[in-house]
Amino acid sequence: MLDIYTLGEDVLREECSDITDFDDALRVLSDAMIDTLEEADGVGLAGPQVGVSKKIFVVHIRGNKPMVFINPVIIGTSIETGPYEEGCLSIPGVYHEVIRPLGVTVQAQDLDGKPFTIEADGLLARVIQHENDHLHGKLYIDHLDQKSRDRLVHSYEKKNRIRRKQKARV
Ligand code: NI
């Protein structure tokens, strides 16, 4: 289980670097990210969220196999957009509707460096966009207007303080 970095950590705001070594260490990282994602009961996890400023994210939609995206590039998005309530393991406990394109085409590499292209819609399209943002130092709250973002961050910090207090007590 890897530590999940949360809002305020610099690594979440950095542009990630490309992955060039498709070696065992990459496989170990990817497996650990998938385990961490499962443990945290999330659907997606990106490198920066575990302190690794590299272009990798994993997606696990229940009922499907976990997927690994390395050096992904979104090469197309649908014109049609829509709302969906998003959360993030790096901003635990709060959620907000985000408007995004409903479909995406993404190019990426697998663990062997082999390129692949996926056309996605539904939840997968949503998660791909959210995780891809992480690789460019962007969080879902950046898509909100200033007022909604301030309100959400305030609510997150309040919850976080309570959680820290509870932790300190035990
Ligand atoms: Ni996230």
Side-chain angles (χ1 to χ4, degrees), residues 56-157:
I56 177 171
F57 66 74
V58 296
V59 174
H60 193 187
I61 293 170
R62 302 296 165 254
N64 296 278
K65 273 191 183 167
M67 302 166 85
V68 184
F69 295 78
I70 294 162
N71 301 327
V73 180
I74 291 178
I75 57 166
T77 51
S78 65
I79 293 163
E80 209 188 338
T81 60
Y84 189 88
E85 194 173 66
E86 294 188 27
C88 181
L89 293 175
S90 293
I91 319 172
V94 294
Y95 304 87
H96 203 283
E97 225 169 53
V98 180
I99 312 274
R100 294 189 196 262
L102 295 177
V104 291
T105 305
V106 62
Q107 248 171 22
Q109 285 166 281
D110 67 13
L111 286 168
D112 298 314
K114 205 178 131 211
F116 64 90
T117 305
I118 287 181
E119 248 182 81
D121 57 14
L123 180 58
L124 181 58
R126 180 64 53 163
V127 179
I128 286 171
Q129 292 175 80
H130 177 118
E131 299 312 323
N132 191 64
D133 274 354
H134 275 298
L135 305 184
H136 303 284
K138 199 165 177 181
L139 302 170
Y140 81 88
I141 57 172
D142 303 341
H143 291 275
L144 309 180
D145 60 74
Q146 184 80 47
K147 207 171 163 189
S148 304
R149 182 164 58 242
D150 289 349
R151 214 183 295 136
L152 196 77
V153 169
H154 180 76
S155 150
Y156 163 72
E157 281 169 351

